Amino acid sequence: MTRIKLLLALLSASALTACAATTTPTPKAEGPALRGPAQADSGWYGSRSAYGQFLAGQAALQNGSNTQAAGYFNEARELDDDPGVLGDRAFTAALLAGDVQHAAAVAPRGADANEAVRRLGALTRVVDLLADGKGREAQAVLKTESIGFPHRPAAVLLAPWLAAAVGDKDGAVVRPELQGDRFVQYFGQLGQARLFERAKRYDEAETDYKALMAVENARDLFVPDYGAFLERRKRQAEAVALYDAALARDPDDEGLAKARARAAAGRAPPAMPTLRQGAAHALVACAATFASERQSQFSLAYLRLALRLDPKRDDAWLLVGDLLAQDDDDAGARDAYAKVLPGSTRYAAAQSKLAWSYQTGGDKPKALALAQQTAAAAPKDRDAQVGYADILRANERWAESAAVLDPLIAAQGDKPDWRLLYMRGVALERANRWSDAERDLLTALKLNPDEPDLLNYLGYSWIDRGERLPEAIAMVQKAVDARPTSGAMLDSLGWGYYRQGDYKTAVAKLEQAVELEPGDPDVNGHLGDAYWRVGRQIEARFQWRRVLSLEPDEKQKAAAEAKLKNGLDGPPAKVATTG
């Protein structure tokens, strides 16, 4: 047995199979920095070998560097005396990196292949063939391959689009079904409606759309599709009424607002989806389902397949960027966000995400410049302005952040968005404009009285200022009841009891908060203060020393050092308690 075969025997299923079995993110590989394929086996392994390339590819895959992993696995396949053994990894890496054509070429088909990967490989070949205009070949693969769990829904949803691609008019309008699967039921009916429209069977298409509108918990997913259908039928008034009803349920949906404006102005409606676009839509829906189940690698794989069919699908590029960013693949995420071009309704969102990528990556000047450019280029685009305000806030430019939000809130008149008021309230509070901040936060809370973040922020602000303590503690308790595992909110509650002089209760709440937020300097500092007040001075000093180990800011550091030197003003409690 070769060294690669031995290692593969010890490993569990492939990366994609492992993802299906757990919701825990793949741990990052530690060790030396990854090198290029030509140098991957120098050092530890001597001359370049398949085994070294395999290990380098495995490390790259664990680190989210899918493009790099694909290169390593390709090298390993070419160097190994039995390249078939590397098929699973080479296929997985190529697909996740977005090289669907290569993934289809190396997709494992033999009996030795991992079953879950083989099924995804068959689905990949189907999509690649459809993208190349080879509908009959794609249909043949779908009919002969057993594409089972977890890829069966995608295969079922794609079948009518393949039928349409080969001119099978009857097969194209057969509604996909999978027993007990509501996802297939709903998106199958959407696909049938679209294919009925392509066949100019408009009454039957509308029957499907109306059936989807009757599904209360899912109808808003399909409002844009039905509205576009109505617009294409020159029934703009009905489309506007449909959009208005949906906006009444979700007033903040920018996409619906833009669709309504388009219909009301009588502008050209969205074109009817092509066959590839319709098939891509089904795959994006599957990807979203996997994402909701925290199966990020499956989600990424399906998005790559969708983009093979519809490379200009902007929502898919945004999701790809988000998934790669979660895996710390900053370069890949930025490349995905950059695929959304000016003129797209999602351009501002993509640029905002791109700016945040630089912000979290430490390049704050680049982040600010990008956000500012986007806001300047689209002064009436809410997403662009909010994105800029958010980046300013992250860089502690509080007054500027509030100023960017001012015209947005003013334009909303007597119906402001509570989220914008909350954002501005935070910025104003940090800019030491408390009376203005309090006004915004109170107004936001009237609009959304049960929002935990608002309750906590305003409540903590009062607590920290020593104002309205009973009311503030009650507000924070309500926030904690809504989110009992929030360490930040438990910290607010504990600090409220501390400021009220109930140190024993404060210790109990703050100990819970530290268990949930062990790395937060403020929470540890608060617990140290509470320990001191109940006479547990050794433990108090331990907590204050811990603050210094948690990368505190200058204010937190100075406070901890002063308390370690002098303790707290005033005598601590005489009798120690255990909290």
Side-chain angles (χ1 to χ4, degrees):
M1 180 179 287
T2 68
R3 295 175 75 187
I4 289 180
K5 284 184 178 179
L6 179 61
L7 187 58
L8 282 170
L10 294 174
L11 289 170
S12 59
S14 72
L16 284 174
T17 309
C19 180
T22 180
T23 60
T24 304
T26 305
K28 303 300 179 190
E30 298 180 357
L34 292 174
R35 293 158 284 183
Q39 292 81 38
D41 211 18
S42 60
W44 289 349
Y45 304 105
S47 62
R48 188 160 150 267
S49 70
Y51 182 66
Q53 299 300 102
F54 170 80
L55 291 179
Q58 194 71 11
L61 197 61
Q62 288 178 328
N63 275 289
S65 301
N66 301 309
T67 301
Q68 203 173 23
Y72 288 131
F73 288 135
N74 240 10
E75 286 281 310
R77 290 180 74 251
E78 293 176 4
L79 292 167
D80 192 45
D81 55 359
D82 183 10
V85 76
L86 289 165
D88 285 6
R89 296 304 198 280
F91 161 73
T92 296
L95 180 56
L96 295 178
D99 191 350
V100 176
Q101 290 170 288
H102 181 68
V106 300
R109 308 185 192 189
D112 293 339
N114 176 276
E115 182 63 20
V117 180
R118 189 198 62 74
R119 291 170 179 172
L120 183 56
L123 185 66
T124 300
R125 287 160 51 212
V126 168
V127 170
D128 191 57
L129 288 166
L130 179 59
D132 280 340
K134 300 176 181 178
R136 292 197 182 279
E137 294 177 50
Q139 196 176 50
V141 173
L142 195 64
K143 288 180 178 179
T144 57
E145 295 279 355
S146 175
I147 304 180
F149 177 85
H151 308 298
R152 186 63 182 160
V156 169
L157 290 171
L158 286 177
W161 297 99
L162 293 178
V166 299
D168 181 358
K169 294 181 180 180
D170 293 333
V173 293
V174 172
R175 186 187 305 172
E177 292 183 355
L178 198 58
Q179 187 173 5
D181 193 320
R182 290 188 178 180
F183 170 80
V184 170
Q185 175 188 339
Y186 298 150
F187 282 91
Q189 191 154 37
L190 173 65
Q192 185 184 50
R194 289 177 157 185
L195 287 164
F196 271 137
E197 183 182 5
R198 286 188 63 83
K200 299 183 179 180
R201 295 165 63 173
Y202 302 126
D203 290 344
E204 291 158 294
E206 187 158 13
T207 297
D208 277 332
Y209 280 124
K210 287 182 176 178
L212 290 170
M213 293 302 101
V215 182
E216 187 172 351
N217 63 344
R219 61 185 172 187
D220 287 344
L221 285 172
F222 308 108
V223 164
D225 302 289
Y226 184 28
F229 168 82
L230 291 172
E231 289 183 68
R232 287 192 290 272
R233 305 274 65 75
K234 302 187 185 304
R235 294 160 58 184
Q236 275 76 10
E238 293 174 69
V240 168
L242 181 72
Y243 295 140
D244 281 341
L247 284 166
R249 296 187 292 271
D250 185 6
D252 303 317
D253 191 317
E254 290 289 320
L256 282 177
K258 289 175 180 177
R260 187 206 182 280
R262 179 189 65 225
R267 296 197 298 269
M272 184 170 57
T274 66
L275 293 177
R276 293 182 192 177
Q277 288 171 336
H281 186 91
L283 292 170
V284 170
C286 292
T289 299
F290 281 125
S292 71
E293 296 168 352
R294 299 180 64 188
Q295 304 293 345
S296 60
Q297 286 191 311
F298 276 136
S299 182
L300 179 57
Y302 272 59
L303 290 168
R304 296 298 198 186
L305 293 176
L307 287 164
R308 174 74 174 101
L309 292 168
D310 185 5
K312 294 183 179 181
R313 185 161 181 128
D314 292 338
D315 58 344
W317 281 119
L318 287 175
L319 288 170
V320 167
D322 292 348
L323 291 171
L324 294 176
Q326 289 173 21
D327 263 353
D328 296 326
D329 183 358
D330 292 336
R334 290 167 189 167
D335 180 67
Y337 296 142
K339 291 288 195 292
V340 182
L341 301 177
S344 168
T345 57
R346 292 182 170 86
Y347 180 69
Q351 289 296 295
S352 177
K353 289 174 181 289
L354 188 58
W356 271 106
S357 173
Y358 285 107
Q359 175 75 20
T360 56
D363 191 346
K364 295 181 180 181
K366 178 74 169 177
L368 277 164
L370 267 174
Q372 185 177 29
Q373 290 167 12
T374 305
K380 295 184 180 180
D381 190 304
R382 169 175 155 156
D383 288 343
Q385 304 306 313
V386 170
Y388 183 34
D390 220 18
I391 290 288
L392 287 166
R393 175 196 55 78
N395 285 277
E396 300 184 3
R397 292 167 62 170
W398 312 113
E400 293 171 81
S401 179
V404 170
L405 294 170
D406 285 343
L408 294 180
I409 295 171
Q412 294 178 329
D414 60 352
K415 294 182 178 180
D417 185 332
W418 71 267
R419 292 171 297 186
L420 295 183
L421 289 167
Y422 178 32
M423 286 181 65
R424 189 173 68 177
V426 171
L428 291 169
E429 186 268 331
R430 298 296 178 88
N432 296 317
R433 292 170 54 187
W434 172 241
S435 61
D436 293 331
E438 186 179 39
R439 182 197 62 233
D440 273 357
L441 294 170
L442 282 168
T443 304
L445 195 61
K446 287 178 182 177
L447 294 168
N448 196 354
D450 297 321
E451 170 53 44
D453 288 324
L454 266 175
L455 289 163
N456 180 66
Y457 197 93
L458 179 55
Y460 181 81
S461 296
W462 280 337
I463 288 165
D464 211 38
R465 298 173 66 85
E467 300 173 1
R468 303 168 69 162
L469 289 177
E471 183 181 357
I473 290 173
M475 288 168 59
V476 174
Q477 182 65 64
K478 185 176 179 180
V480 169
D481 291 343
R483 294 186 188 165
T485 60
S486 169
M489 292 179 183
L490 278 164
D491 172 65
S492 298
L493 186 60
W495 196 236
Y497 284 113
Y498 178 93
R499 297 304 296 268
Q500 208 173 38
D502 185 351
Y503 301 128
K504 182 178 179 179
T505 303
V507 166
K509 300 299 181 184
L510 290 168
E511 284 179 336
Q512 294 177 46
V514 165
E515 287 181 9
L516 292 165
E517 294 285 350
D520 189 296
D522 275 332
V523 178
N524 281 275
H526 286 164
L527 179 58
D529 293 1
Y531 278 151
W532 182 273
R533 293 303 186 193
V534 297
R536 296 163 65 176
Q537 296 182 27
I538 294 175
E539 292 161 282
R541 292 185 182 279
F542 174 85
Q543 291 302 134
W544 295 332
R545 282 192 294 271
R546 177 160 174 74
V547 170
L548 297 177
S549 72
L550 296 174
E551 300 183 3
D553 61 29
E554 289 303 315
K555 183 179 178 180
Q556 293 165 334
K557 181 181 178 182
E561 288 175 341
K563 286 184 279 191
L564 283 167
K565 182 178 180 180
N566 303 314
L568 294 175
D569 293 335
K574 297 293 185 183
V575 180
T577 71
T578 59

